[in-house]
Amino acid sequence: MSTVDKMLIKGIRSFDPENKNVITFFKPLTLIVGSNGAGKTTIIECLKLSCTGELPPNSRSGHTFVHDPKVAGETETKGQIKLRFKTAAGKDVVCIRSFQLTQKASKMEFKAIESVLQTINPHTGEKVCLSYRCADMDREIPALMGVSKAILENVIFVHQDESNWPLQDPSTLKKKFDDIFSATRYTKALEVIKKLHKDQAQEIKTFRLKLENLQTLKDQAYRLRDSIAQDQEKSDALKTQMEDLKTNIQAVENKILRTETSMVDLRKLQEQISTKATARSTYFTLQQQQYAALSEENEDTDEELKEWQTKFEEKIALLETKIAKLEREMNDEYAKSSLLSETINDSTREIGKLQAEADAHMSVKHERDSAIRTIFNKHNLGPVPDAPFTNDIAMNLTNRTKARLSNLEDDLQEKKKTNETQLEFLWGRYLKVNARYSEVDGQIQSKKESKIGVLRRIKDKENERDAAETELSRHNLARIDERERHLQIEVERKTIALGERDYDLIISQKRSEIYTLDHKIKALHREKDNIATDADDRVKLELKKDELEKCKKKLKKIYDEHKDKFRSVLKGRLPHEKDVKKEITQAFGSVDSEYNDLNSKSQEAEQQLKLAQMKIDAAKSHLAKLQKVLDAKRKHLNSKLQSIAKVSVDINAYPKILKDAMDERDKQTNNFSYAKGMRQMYEPFEKVARQHHKCPCCDRAFTPDEEDLFVKKQRTTGTSTAERLKVLAENLSVAEDLFNQLDNLRVIYDEYVKLEKETIPLAEKDLEQLSADKSEKEQISDDLVSVLAQVKMDRDGVEVLLRPVDTIDRHVQEIQELEPQVKDLEYKLDSRGQGVKSVDEIQLELISVQRAR
């Protein structure tokens, strides 16, 4: 059993936010006494809030629950409740809930800032603190106590302003009792079972229709198969005929081809003949022209001409040989060129193909990266690095996705098995309850009929008793006694007269009575025969009456079963059977429209929440990129400074190092300029001394020894000055190089400072604003989800009534159809003068008359 040990209250209602007030709860009973306003109710409210998370009534959403900042003289007050209790397993747990109330310019803002569960690790003895959202905390504590939230809220820690909840309206009372006794899940289980039964019946009907359709398709397939076989036989015959025709056509085509080939050869020969004839005439004309153009005839002998011809032919042959060799070389080069062109074309095609494959590969990689990022963002599988992904990263992310999918499939299979087990168990219980219900219903009906019969007999006996008492009260007993004596005397006189009566007359009277009874018997026989002729109408009448009575009973039974639900849905009103369908349909329409509206708003809120999450992810990614850029610039600057300064320095010392380098450069520049000016000043002294034999400064005349000494001194000074100038030039170059190198880093340093001081703080501020917007949207979405769940429960409660309402409306229509038919049959029988007496009634009357006869 769970017990409460201690509770700390700080900053709640009249409890001071600066002091800690601890209440210890003793066993077995703790009494809380105090004057009005001392905080007795506040203790109960704190217990209820710690266990259930529900604010007390009339607390204005927590504004009056936390200590008022105006009273404390602050703009913000904080409240805290610590509750130490033992769980149902005997484990010590501390529940901590913290709140904050802030005084804004025009309103007060209440906020729950912390919800923590503190336990002790049994192995190490250390305290373990776990932070929860408020909704998770509200579910966790009742589970640890082993008591439902409804019992904690409405029974154990019920507020004094809500202690009269058993006197509320029936719908609210039923809801509270369902929450307390957890009856809703059993009702829902039955509804789910009924729904599954209906769905299975519908599926069976659908499969039957599919089976009929498949049977039809099967018959069509058999017919098509027969038709295909016949068509195949026809096709084979036609193929054979086509083969014969193809053979004949091939022979004719070969003959035509040979003829065409002969004609082509003939045309070629004719063309060659005409060409040769034309060439012959041309050569002959050319020969005549050349012969006429000769200025003189060659007078060489034939032997000389033959010798020239031989030499000319040898030269021609030599040239032809060279031409053939060059042609072969040209052909070889052409072949090499063609081969190289083909190689180039193949290489170009291969390059294009490889480029296309590379582009396709990159496209596939981009699609893969996009798909992985979409899957991780959609299913919240964790952070994703920046694109593009390497193969190792992609394989790692894919393996993580597969592992998550495998876990989800395992969970799905386990839940399926659990649901099947629960369904089988609930279905067995449903069958048992249904059988028991049928048995009990039959017993109830028989008991009701027996009770009705007993009540009817009691009422008849009471009526007989009342009639006898009334009749007895009308007579005077004295007069009755007197009349009895007179009647006794009359009896004696009649007895004497009876002995003297004429029996023949009496016999004739009896015969006349017998004759009358015979006529009556004949009339009853005729009526019985007429009834036999109208037996069909009477049977129809009886059947219609039975059917009408059954419809009325079913209608009353269904209406009585759902009467309370009708009142709950229609706010206490109970409509007539004829108007139930109209009222329930209108109520369902209003609830359904409200549900659809809230559902669309909930989906819109969910979209807004997803958009806010995407913005937060984008802001985080942007902030991470800025941080990476900042780190990269810091590393770059550190490495550059370390390489320049040859020692490890801090990046923040860069301005001082730059200023020192600039001062050093200026100093070396001044030294170099001074030394250069001195050298330029001393250089002409030697020349002046040699030319004018006097001191260049004071114009004093030099002796030869003094002049030689002065010149020697000037040369020594010039040499030392040149060496010093060289050293100063090197120092100046080093200082300028150092300054230039440091000055080149100024742009990067300015960007680094801007990132650190402006860009990153602004991005962090934007991320905080987006997180606050997301929290607000999460609260709105949670509120909409809770309201939507309540409206869905109301909608489901009304939707459950639609089928019974349809059944009630169908029975009402059947009753309205059967009542006119019954009235018509009764009127038809009455119009024949027979009434609506049954055959059994006429048979009983006939037996009575026969007995009297």
Side-chain angles (χ1 to χ4, degrees), residues 46 131 145 198 258 484 538 540 587 657 702 731 798 848:
C46 292
S131 297
M145 286 188 166
K198 178 184 175 182
R258 288 194 299 272
E484 184 180 1
R538 291 186 176 277
K540 288 181 180 179
I657 296 173
F702 282 147
N731 293 336
V798 179
S848 176

Side-chain angles (χ1 to χ4, degrees), residues 624 626-636 752:
L626 292 176
Q627 196 67 39
K628 287 182 180 179
V629 172
L630 182 67
D631 294 339
K633 290 185 181 296
R634 183 189 294 113
K635 290 180 181 178
H636 179 70
Y752 169 79

Side-chain angles (χ1 to χ4, degrees), residues 513-528:
E513 290 178 3
I514 290 171
Y515 180 74
T516 303
L517 292 173
D518 287 337
H519 278 288
K520 192 172 182 179
I521 289 170
K522 289 179 181 180
L524 289 172
H525 278 294
R526 283 195 300 273
E527 188 175 355
K528 187 176 180 182

Side-chain angles (χ1 to χ4, degrees), residues 386 619-631 755:
D386 295 334
K620 288 181 179 179
S621 177
H622 179 62
L623 183 60
K625 288 180 180 178
L626 292 176
Q627 196 67 39
K628 287 182 180 179
V629 172
L630 182 67
D631 294 339
L755 278 173

